[in-house]
Amino acid sequence: MIDAPAPSGARVVRPARRLRGELTVPGDKSITHRGLLLGAQAGGRTRLRNPGLGADTRASAALVRALGAEVSIDIDELRVTGLGLHGLREPADVLDCGNSGTTMRLGGGLLAGRPLHAVLTGDASLRTRPMDRIVRPLRALGARIDGRANGAYAPLAIAPGRLHGAELDIPVASAQVKSAVILAALRADGPTVLRQPDPSRDHTERILRAQGAVLRTAGGEIRCEPAHDLQALDLDVPGDISSAAFWIAAAVLHPDAEISIRNVGLNPLRTGILDALQSMGADIDTQIETTDPEPSGTVTARTSDLHAIEAGGHLIPRLIDEASLLALLATRAHGESRIADAAELRVKESDRLHTTERALSALGLELDAESDGFTIAGGARAGGGAVEAAGDHRIAMLAAVAAVSGTGPVTIRGAQAVDVSYPTFWDDLARLSE
Ligand code: S3P
């Protein structure tokens, strides 16, 4: 089904005769990042069971190690011994966040307003992603932080400083920006109030509350009180719905498929893709089995007959990492679909409006990338072809899903990009395919 990787990092994925099986996916990447970064400033040892271990979360582990926290990583458990809220030490060298926007943005909030110098950098893609979205609000809290083009891009340099509370309007519905501000606000000398246009994933707020921080949420506003100490936690990390979504989409698209994913995170601010699929008529069952530390359970998806969708507004932040998959799903639906209000896709690991259009067009599918989304012609099935992952893990996995549920072999160039979030992706694809 999947050829071994060529030296160039290309893989060929062929259509499966059937897709069947039950699996778990790696632990949630967003929660694992937060477990590491928030655990580093707690007192005592934080344990994360079932962590998501990919290049991105390893960058967060390296960052907190460089700040003096102890981290030990086993395949099914990660432990961080924190140094307390004010105990992080000045790093001796530049902090390399690799490809990880979460490491850099939350790292910026973690480091701002401490008595230390730090420089955050990353790979070529991360150095082109907007950082003014964290630099401006952190400066408004009193942080001394700068970067290329007056703080627009990394490398970012943080100088010693002190923080005060503030009232802030954040113009984008971004959990990374919100979290950066909250991480700094915990050490300010007064309360901080922040407002954002739409709710975004709330893993930071949930973990911080469990650690003892006081955060109040009301009508789009979050009020964060300065914290004293933060407690270490034991967390069971649920599987990452953003990884599970590839198998859900593959099952829905394939003509003979049923896939169950157990222990998958079902935080309502992450389940937009399930709501979108339900509104398209997909054959999916969702069973919530636990609510602590976050809702999680089993999702079963089967071959489906889909109708077109108009997606936009509050739904988009709830499926931002799944928007390219939604575009692929819409190519199979009856009728023309539209995804709007998704301009944020331009500043992900690649310009995903462009790379999604390019990848799916290369497989004979019809869609147009517009300024804030896509218009997608329905009723088609992906053919064979060659796709560039463009250094974007989600584009590599999108192409694999199109291929395994499509009609011809697809060569995926730069397939190793999956290592950022889902290093075992190819093994799972092989297990599910017949
Ligand atoms: C993330 C938030 C989202 C998402 C990213 C992970 C997080 O980014 O796309 O993959 O863990 O907070 P934005 O906050 O920029 O929307």
Side-chain angles (χ1 to χ4, degrees):
M1 206 62 49
I2 315 156
D3 294 355
S8 62
R11 276 186 192 255
V12 180
V13 179
R14 299 193 157 73
R17 203 168 47 79
R18 297 202 315 167
L19 287 175
R20 279 282 185 286
E22 228 188 69
L23 79 165
T24 55
V25 292
D28 189 273
K29 180 158 86 76
S30 291
I31 299 177
T32 304
H33 277 299
R34 285 156 175 81
L36 281 157
L37 299 166
L38 302 180
Q41 55 169 8
R45 197 168 73 169
T46 290
R47 283 173 16 145
L48 303 181
R49 271 178 297 274
N50 188 42
L53 297 175
D56 270 13
T57 52
R58 287 184 191 274
S60 283
L63 181 133
V64 300
R65 270 190 187 126
L67 304 178
E70 254 176 57
V71 181
S72 71
I73 303 179
D74 291 330
I75 193 78
D76 54 0
E77 188 173 294
L78 191 157
R79 290 172 293 275
V80 196
T81 307
L83 297 168
L85 186 58
H86 298 284
L88 297 179
R89 299 187 198 125
E90 183 170 83
D93 200 352
V94 168
L95 301 164
D96 186 357
C97 304
N99 189 241
S100 174
T102 308
T103 307
M104 181 168 286
R105 297 202 177 106
L106 272 63
L110 184 75
L111 287 161
R114 293 183 184 269
L116 52 76
H117 285 273
V119 175
L120 292 158
T121 192
D123 69 9
S125 149
L126 188 54
R127 283 183 275 114
T128 65
R129 295 180 65 188
M131 291 300 147
D132 39 358
R133 51 180 58 199
I134 64 156
V135 166
R136 284 167 201 267
L138 292 174
R139 282 180 181 160
L141 293 176
R144 293 171 64 214
I145 176 168
D146 211 344
R148 289 187 301 123
N150 189 26
Y153 302 108
L156 299 178
I158 298 171
R162 291 175 68 85
L163 302 174
H164 50 76
E167 282 209 21
L168 300 171
D169 282 297
I170 293 171
V172 278
S174 158
Q176 294 180 352
V177 175
K178 172 181 67 175
S179 301
V181 171
I182 294 174
L183 281 176
L186 293 171
R187 287 172 288 106
D189 64 4
T192 296
V193 176
L194 63 131
R195 285 178 284 270
Q196 52 172 2
D198 279 310
S200 57
R201 63 190 70 188
D202 62 354
H203 309 300
T204 301
E205 297 92 304
R206 286 173 183 258
I207 295 180
L208 277 172
R209 285 195 187 105
Q211 288 185 307
V214 180
L215 293 164
R216 292 195 188 86
T217 311
E221 215 175 77
I222 302 175
R223 183 184 165 93
C224 176
E225 302 293 337
H228 299 290
D229 298 312
L230 295 171
Q231 288 153 34
L233 295 178
D234 263 13
L235 286 175
D236 285 305
V237 183
D240 197 323
I241 186 163
S242 296
S243 301
F246 291 101
W247 308 128
I248 295 168
V252 165
L253 288 167
H254 194 281
D256 183 2
E258 175 163 342
I259 297 177
S260 285
I261 306 116
R262 284 178 282 109
N263 185 33
V264 56
L266 296 169
N267 178 315
L269 290 166
R270 297 284 299 281
T271 48
I273 187 67
L274 301 181
D275 296 347
L277 274 166
Q278 235 122 36
S279 79
M280 295 171 86
D283 187 355
I284 298 182
D285 300 323
T286 303
Q287 192 77 44
I288 294 188
E289 283 144 11
T290 337
T291 52
D292 182 34
E294 297 229 353
S296 62
T298 301
V299 179
T300 303
R302 304 173 195 89
T303 305
S304 301
D305 195 29
L306 300 175
H307 21 266
I309 186 169
E310 294 275 329
H314 301 313
L315 179 66
I316 300 300
R318 297 179 53 238
L319 54 64
I320 191 68
D321 291 337
E322 292 71 64
S324 306
L325 267 181
L326 184 59
L328 169 64
L329 287 155
T331 61
R332 187 88 202 96
H334 301 287
E336 185 178 277
S337 293
R338 166 112 177 98
I339 301 175
D341 305 321
E344 272 295 297
L345 294 176
R346 295 248 180 238
V347 291
K348 294 296 174 189
E349 286 85 330
S350 65
D351 171 350
R352 257 185 217 151
L353 288 178
H354 170 66
T355 50
T356 301
E357 180 195 52
R358 195 175 61 174
L360 299 184
S361 306
L363 305 181
L365 299 168
E366 255 181 75
L367 76 167
D368 289 317
E370 287 142 8
S371 60
D372 75 338
F374 303 101
T375 297
I376 307 132
R381 189 176 286 284
V387 169
E388 288 299 334
D392 187 334
H393 55 138
R394 298 202 198 281
I395 297 296
M397 293 187 276
L398 173 78
V401 168
V404 81
S405 60
T407 58
V410 176
T411 302
I412 304 170
R413 298 200 189 101
Q416 74 283 359
V418 305
D419 291 350
V420 154
S421 62
Y422 198 165
T424 51
F425 178 82
W426 304 111
D427 302 333
D428 286 345
L429 179 60
R431 280 198 305 114
L432 293 168
S433 310
E434 290 176 18

